[in-house]
Amino acid sequence: MRYSPYAEEVIDIATMNEAQLLEYFLTRVFETEEVWGLDDGCEWIVTDNPAQSLMPIWPYRQLAEDAARQQWSGYTATAESLEDFVYQTLGELMEDDIILEIMPAPDKAGCKITPHRLFEIFTGMFNAGEYTLDS
C-alpha cells in the first residue's frame, strides 16, 4: 500500500473539480485508512469565515504538509485513523456545525461537505466493503 501520491496525481489534483476531489479523497482514504489534518499542538485547525467554519482535510501526509507550508505555517500535519475520524471526529463536527473542506489549496477552495454526508458515505463504504457516492 502506498502512502503518498504519485507526482502525476499532485499535478492532476490542481485541476480537479469538487466531485473529482471528493472521489479522489474517498478512494485514497479508504485504501490508506487515514485522514490527515493540520494541528496547532492542541487540536486540528478550523478556519472561520462569516458564512461557516471549515476544517481542511487531506488523504495523504504529503498533501497536508504542502498545505501547511503554503497556506498554514505553524501547523503540523497529523493523521487520524479512518475509524476514529468517522466514529468520533465526524460526530463532534456535526455537533459543532463545522463543514469539512477536502483538499483546499492556496489558490482554490476544496470540496465542501457536511460531516453528516461524509459519515453517510463512509458508513456505506464500510457496509459494502467498497466506496460509493450513492450510499
mmCIF file of all heavy atoms in Angstrom, residues 5-6 12 17 27 30 40 48 50 64-65 69 73 78 82 87 91 94-95 101-102 108-110 112 119 125-127:
data_model
loop_
_atom_site.group_PDB
_atom_site.id
_atom_site.type_symbol
_atom_site.label_atom_id
_atom_site.label_comp_id
_atom_site.label_asym_id
_atom_site.label_seq_id
_atom_site.Cartn_x
_atom_site.Cartn_y
_atom_site.Cartn_z
ATOM 1 N N PRO A 5 1.034 10.437 -2.724
ATOM 2 C CA PRO A 5 0.549 10.498 -4.106
ATOM 3 C C PRO A 5 1.707 10.431 -5.095
ATOM 4 O O PRO A 5 2.826 10.841 -4.793
ATOM 5 C CB PRO A 5 -0.142 11.862 -4.167
ATOM 6 C CG PRO A 5 0.572 12.688 -3.153
ATOM 7 C CD PRO A 5 0.951 11.728 -2.050
ATOM 8 N N TYR A 6 1.428 9.922 -6.273
ATOM 9 C CA TYR A 6 2.399 9.971 -7.356
ATOM 10 C C TYR A 6 2.519 11.420 -7.818
ATOM 11 O O TYR A 6 1.583 12.221 -7.664
ATOM 12 C CB TYR A 6 1.951 9.093 -8.527
ATOM 13 C CG TYR A 6 1.900 7.617 -8.208
ATOM 14 C CD1 TYR A 6 0.697 6.929 -8.244
ATOM 15 C CD2 TYR A 6 3.058 6.920 -7.880
ATOM 16 C CE1 TYR A 6 0.646 5.564 -7.960
ATOM 17 C CE2 TYR A 6 3.020 5.559 -7.596
ATOM 18 C CZ TYR A 6 1.811 4.890 -7.636
ATOM 19 O OH TYR A 6 1.759 3.553 -7.349
ATOM 20 N N ASP A 12 -2.410 16.591 -11.210
ATOM 21 C CA ASP A 12 -3.827 16.448 -11.571
ATOM 22 C C ASP A 12 -4.758 17.051 -10.519
ATOM 23 O O ASP A 12 -5.811 17.596 -10.859
ATOM 24 C CB ASP A 12 -4.191 14.977 -11.776
ATOM 25 C CG ASP A 12 -3.573 14.386 -13.035
ATOM 26 O OD1 ASP A 12 -3.121 15.160 -13.903
ATOM 27 O OD2 ASP A 12 -3.542 13.145 -13.138
ATOM 28 N N ASN A 17 -12.204 19.225 -10.168
ATOM 29 C CA ASN A 17 -13.371 19.943 -9.652
ATOM 30 C C ASN A 17 -13.784 19.316 -8.315
ATOM 31 O O ASN A 17 -13.153 18.354 -7.855
ATOM 32 C CB ASN A 17 -14.519 19.937 -10.668
ATOM 33 C CG ASN A 17 -15.031 18.535 -10.983
ATOM 34 O OD1 ASN A 17 -15.042 17.645 -10.130
ATOM 35 N ND2 ASN A 17 -15.472 18.327 -12.210
ATOM 36 N N THR A 27 -11.352 7.518 -2.316
ATOM 37 C CA THR A 27 -10.569 6.377 -2.787
ATOM 38 C C THR A 27 -9.296 6.209 -1.971
ATOM 39 O O THR A 27 -8.975 5.123 -1.489
ATOM 40 C CB THR A 27 -10.208 6.547 -4.276
ATOM 41 O OG1 THR A 27 -11.409 6.682 -5.031
ATOM 42 C CG2 THR A 27 -9.414 5.358 -4.790
ATOM 43 N N PHE A 30 -9.881 5.482 1.852
ATOM 44 C CA PHE A 30 -10.370 4.126 2.053
ATOM 45 C C PHE A 30 -9.237 3.114 1.933
ATOM 46 O O PHE A 30 -9.194 2.132 2.672
ATOM 47 C CB PHE A 30 -11.483 3.816 1.052
ATOM 48 C CG PHE A 30 -12.257 2.563 1.358
ATOM 49 C CD1 PHE A 30 -13.008 2.450 2.515
ATOM 50 C CD2 PHE A 30 -12.242 1.500 0.486
ATOM 51 C CE1 PHE A 30 -13.727 1.294 2.803
ATOM 52 C CE2 PHE A 30 -12.962 0.338 0.759
ATOM 53 C CZ PHE A 30 -13.700 0.243 1.915
ATOM 54 N N ASP A 40 -2.393 22.445 15.581
ATOM 55 C CA ASP A 40 -1.623 23.541 16.177
ATOM 56 C C ASP A 40 -0.963 23.135 17.485
ATOM 57 O O ASP A 40 -0.444 23.961 18.215
ATOM 58 C CB ASP A 40 -2.506 24.762 16.410
ATOM 59 C CG ASP A 40 -3.594 24.521 17.445
ATOM 60 O OD1 ASP A 40 -3.695 23.410 18.010
ATOM 61 O OD2 ASP A 40 -4.367 25.468 17.697
ATOM 62 N N ASP A 48 -12.474 30.013 10.298
ATOM 63 C CA ASP A 48 -13.779 30.666 10.409
ATOM 64 C C ASP A 48 -13.871 31.791 9.398
ATOM 65 O O ASP A 48 -12.943 32.571 9.225
ATOM 66 C CB ASP A 48 -13.975 31.239 11.818
ATOM 67 C CG ASP A 48 -14.125 30.157 12.862
ATOM 68 O OD1 ASP A 48 -14.934 29.243 12.630
ATOM 69 O OD2 ASP A 48 -13.433 30.217 13.887
ATOM 70 N N PRO A 50 -17.257 34.450 7.679
ATOM 71 C CA PRO A 50 -18.622 34.859 8.051
ATOM 72 C C PRO A 50 -19.699 33.816 7.766
ATOM 73 O O PRO A 50 -20.685 33.740 8.478
ATOM 74 C CB PRO A 50 -18.844 36.123 7.209
ATOM 75 C CG PRO A 50 -17.478 36.635 6.918
ATOM 76 C CD PRO A 50 -16.588 35.433 6.841
ATOM 77 N N ALA A 64 -1.097 17.336 3.105
ATOM 78 C CA ALA A 64 -1.318 18.166 4.289
ATOM 79 C C ALA A 64 -0.073 18.999 4.601
ATOM 80 O O ALA A 64 -0.182 20.185 4.939
ATOM 81 C CB ALA A 64 -1.701 17.294 5.481
ATOM 82 N N GLU A 65 1.104 18.392 4.469
ATOM 83 C CA GLU A 65 2.347 19.139 4.710
ATOM 84 C C GLU A 65 2.537 20.247 3.688
ATOM 85 O O GLU A 65 2.977 21.349 4.033
ATOM 86 C CB GLU A 65 3.543 18.188 4.699
ATOM 87 C CG GLU A 65 3.619 17.321 5.929
ATOM 88 C CD GLU A 65 4.746 16.301 5.885
ATOM 89 O OE1 GLU A 65 5.288 16.013 4.787
ATOM 90 O OE2 GLU A 65 5.091 15.792 6.965
ATOM 91 N N ARG A 69 2.897 24.275 4.555
ATOM 92 C CA ARG A 69 3.986 25.130 4.067
ATOM 93 C C ARG A 69 3.460 26.317 3.267
ATOM 94 O O ARG A 69 3.975 27.419 3.372
ATOM 95 C CB ARG A 69 4.947 24.327 3.185
ATOM 96 C CG ARG A 69 6.009 23.587 3.956
ATOM 97 C CD ARG A 69 7.084 23.037 3.034
ATOM 98 N NE ARG A 69 6.575 22.120 2.017
ATOM 99 C CZ ARG A 69 6.305 20.839 2.231
ATOM 100 N NH1 ARG A 69 6.477 20.313 3.423
ATOM 101 N NH2 ARG A 69 5.858 20.076 1.260
ATOM 102 N N SER A 73 1.264 28.096 7.812
ATOM 103 C CA SER A 73 2.539 27.889 8.502
ATOM 104 C C SER A 73 2.293 27.856 10.007
ATOM 105 O O SER A 73 1.386 28.509 10.524
ATOM 106 C CB SER A 73 3.543 28.978 8.141
ATOM 107 O OG SER A 73 3.089 30.228 8.580
ATOM 108 N N THR A 78 -1.122 16.019 10.804
ATOM 109 C CA THR A 78 -1.424 14.995 11.801
ATOM 110 C C THR A 78 -2.470 14.041 11.235
ATOM 111 O O THR A 78 -3.445 14.481 10.637
ATOM 112 C CB THR A 78 -1.974 15.641 13.091
ATOM 113 O OG1 THR A 78 -1.047 16.607 13.548
ATOM 114 C CG2 THR A 78 -2.215 14.610 14.162
ATOM 115 N N LEU A 82 -8.972 6.208 10.030
ATOM 116 C CA LEU A 82 -10.265 6.414 9.387
ATOM 117 C C LEU A 82 -11.404 6.073 10.339
ATOM 118 O O LEU A 82 -12.396 6.794 10.431
ATOM 119 C CB LEU A 82 -10.353 5.584 8.100
ATOM 120 C CG LEU A 82 -11.664 5.698 7.321
ATOM 121 C CD1 LEU A 82 -11.970 7.137 6.950
ATOM 122 C CD2 LEU A 82 -11.612 4.814 6.083
ATOM 123 N N TYR A 87 -16.098 7.665 13.372
ATOM 124 C CA TYR A 87 -16.979 7.410 14.514
ATOM 125 C C TYR A 87 -16.798 8.363 15.693
ATOM 126 O O TYR A 87 -17.611 8.351 16.611
ATOM 127 C CB TYR A 87 -16.825 5.956 14.962
ATOM 128 C CG TYR A 87 -17.333 5.007 13.895
ATOM 129 C CD1 TYR A 87 -16.470 4.163 13.218
ATOM 130 C CD2 TYR A 87 -18.679 4.986 13.535
ATOM 131 C CE1 TYR A 87 -16.932 3.302 12.224
ATOM 132 C CE2 TYR A 87 -19.146 4.142 12.540
ATOM 133 C CZ TYR A 87 -18.272 3.302 11.897
ATOM 134 O OH TYR A 87 -18.734 2.475 10.911
ATOM 135 N N GLY A 91 -18.738 13.001 14.391
ATOM 136 C CA GLY A 91 -19.813 13.284 15.350
ATOM 137 C C GLY A 91 -19.601 14.609 16.056
ATOM 138 O O GLY A 91 -20.547 15.396 16.232
ATOM 139 N N MET A 94 -20.342 17.410 13.655
ATOM 140 C CA MET A 94 -21.793 17.584 13.483
ATOM 141 C C MET A 94 -22.350 18.442 14.612
ATOM 142 O O MET A 94 -23.138 19.357 14.370
ATOM 143 C CB MET A 94 -22.503 16.227 13.451
ATOM 144 C CG MET A 94 -22.347 15.465 12.173
ATOM 145 S SD MET A 94 -23.301 13.922 12.243
ATOM 146 C CE MET A 94 -22.081 12.756 11.690
ATOM 147 N N GLU A 95 -21.943 18.145 15.834
ATOM 148 C CA GLU A 95 -22.421 18.902 16.998
ATOM 149 C C GLU A 95 -22.007 20.366 16.929
ATOM 150 O O GLU A 95 -22.760 21.248 17.325
ATOM 151 C CB GLU A 95 -21.876 18.288 18.288
ATOM 152 C CG GLU A 95 -22.472 16.956 18.643
ATOM 153 C CD GLU A 95 -21.825 16.337 19.876
ATOM 154 O OE1 GLU A 95 -21.064 17.030 20.580
ATOM 155 O OE2 GLU A 95 -22.086 15.149 20.128
ATOM 156 N N GLU A 101 -13.651 20.689 4.512
ATOM 157 C CA GLU A 101 -13.174 21.146 3.212
ATOM 158 C C GLU A 101 -12.086 20.182 2.772
ATOM 159 O O GLU A 101 -10.994 20.134 3.345
ATOM 160 C CB GLU A 101 -12.641 22.571 3.273
ATOM 161 C CG GLU A 101 -12.264 23.094 1.908
ATOM 162 C CD GLU A 101 -11.886 24.557 1.898
ATOM 163 O OE1 GLU A 101 -11.592 25.124 2.968
ATOM 164 O OE2 GLU A 101 -11.883 25.143 0.808
ATOM 165 N N ILE A 102 -12.399 19.408 1.749
ATOM 166 C CA ILE A 102 -11.499 18.365 1.281
ATOM 167 C C ILE A 102 -10.485 18.951 0.309
ATOM 168 O O ILE A 102 -10.844 19.511 -0.724
ATOM 169 C CB ILE A 102 -12.299 17.226 0.626
ATOM 170 C CG1 ILE A 102 -13.195 16.568 1.677
ATOM 171 C CG2 ILE A 102 -11.372 16.218 -0.038
ATOM 172 C CD1 ILE A 102 -14.178 15.577 1.136
ATOM 173 N N LYS A 108 -7.272 27.773 -4.535
ATOM 174 C CA LYS A 108 -8.518 27.103 -4.915
ATOM 175 C C LYS A 108 -9.162 26.456 -3.698
ATOM 176 O O LYS A 108 -8.500 25.769 -2.927
ATOM 177 C CB LYS A 108 -8.180 26.040 -5.967
ATOM 178 C CG LYS A 108 -9.354 25.293 -6.507
ATOM 179 C CD LYS A 108 -8.866 24.321 -7.574
ATOM 180 C CE LYS A 108 -9.802 23.172 -7.697
ATOM 181 N NZ LYS A 108 -9.276 22.071 -8.455
ATOM 182 N N ALA A 109 -10.453 26.682 -3.549
ATOM 183 C CA ALA A 109 -11.184 26.051 -2.451
ATOM 184 C C ALA A 109 -11.274 24.546 -2.695
ATOM 185 O O ALA A 109 -11.243 24.083 -3.829
ATOM 186 C CB ALA A 109 -12.584 26.638 -2.345
ATOM 187 N N GLY A 110 -11.393 23.809 -1.599
ATOM 188 C CA GLY A 110 -11.581 22.373 -1.705
ATOM 189 C C GLY A 110 -13.050 22.027 -1.837
ATOM 190 O O GLY A 110 -13.909 22.900 -1.944
ATOM 191 N N LYS A 112 -16.380 21.157 -0.344
ATOM 192 C CA LYS A 112 -17.039 21.326 0.956
ATOM 193 C C LYS A 112 -18.139 20.281 1.103
ATOM 194 O O LYS A 112 -18.919 20.050 0.179
ATOM 195 C CB LYS A 112 -17.600 22.727 1.079
ATOM 196 C CG LYS A 112 -16.504 23.777 1.125
ATOM 197 C CD LYS A 112 -17.071 25.164 1.207
ATOM 198 C CE LYS A 112 -15.977 26.183 1.206
ATOM 199 N NZ LYS A 112 -15.499 26.544 -0.129
ATOM 200 N N PHE A 119 -20.181 11.125 6.778
ATOM 201 C CA PHE A 119 -20.441 9.960 7.627
ATOM 202 C C PHE A 119 -21.288 8.934 6.867
ATOM 203 O O PHE A 119 -20.995 7.742 6.889
ATOM 204 C CB PHE A 119 -21.143 10.387 8.919
ATOM 205 C CG PHE A 119 -21.482 9.246 9.828
ATOM 206 C CD1 PHE A 119 -20.523 8.714 10.679
ATOM 207 C CD2 PHE A 119 -22.750 8.688 9.824
ATOM 208 C CE1 PHE A 119 -20.822 7.648 11.515
ATOM 209 C CE2 PHE A 119 -23.066 7.623 10.652
ATOM 210 C CZ PHE A 119 -22.096 7.096 11.502
ATOM 211 N N MET A 125 -19.603 2.853 2.627
ATOM 212 C CA MET A 125 -18.386 2.185 2.153
ATOM 213 C C MET A 125 -18.044 1.001 3.045
ATOM 214 O O MET A 125 -17.702 -0.075 2.560
ATOM 215 C CB MET A 125 -17.216 3.181 2.152
ATOM 216 C CG MET A 125 -17.310 4.277 1.122
ATOM 217 S SD MET A 125 -16.107 5.616 1.377
ATOM 218 C CE MET A 125 -14.564 4.792 1.071
ATOM 219 N N PHE A 126 -18.114 1.216 4.351
ATOM 220 C CA PHE A 126 -17.784 0.141 5.292
ATOM 221 C C PHE A 126 -18.742 -1.030 5.124
ATOM 222 O O PHE A 126 -18.326 -2.188 5.107
ATOM 223 C CB PHE A 126 -17.842 0.634 6.730
ATOM 224 C CG PHE A 126 -16.830 1.688 7.082
ATOM 225 C CD1 PHE A 126 -17.092 2.571 8.110
ATOM 226 C CD2 PHE A 126 -15.623 1.810 6.415
ATOM 227 C CE1 PHE A 126 -16.172 3.549 8.456
ATOM 228 C CE2 PHE A 126 -14.697 2.780 6.742
ATOM 229 C CZ PHE A 126 -14.977 3.658 7.775
ATOM 230 N N ASN A 127 -20.017 -0.730 5.013
ATOM 231 C CA ASN A 127 -21.033 -1.797 4.890
ATOM 232 C C ASN A 127 -20.900 -2.564 3.583
ATOM 233 O O ASN A 127 -21.120 -3.770 3.549
ATOM 234 C CB ASN A 127 -22.436 -1.215 5.009
ATOM 235 C CG ASN A 127 -22.721 -0.700 6.398
ATOM 236 O OD1 ASN A 127 -22.113 -1.122 7.387
ATOM 237 N ND2 ASN A 127 -23.648 0.240 6.507
#
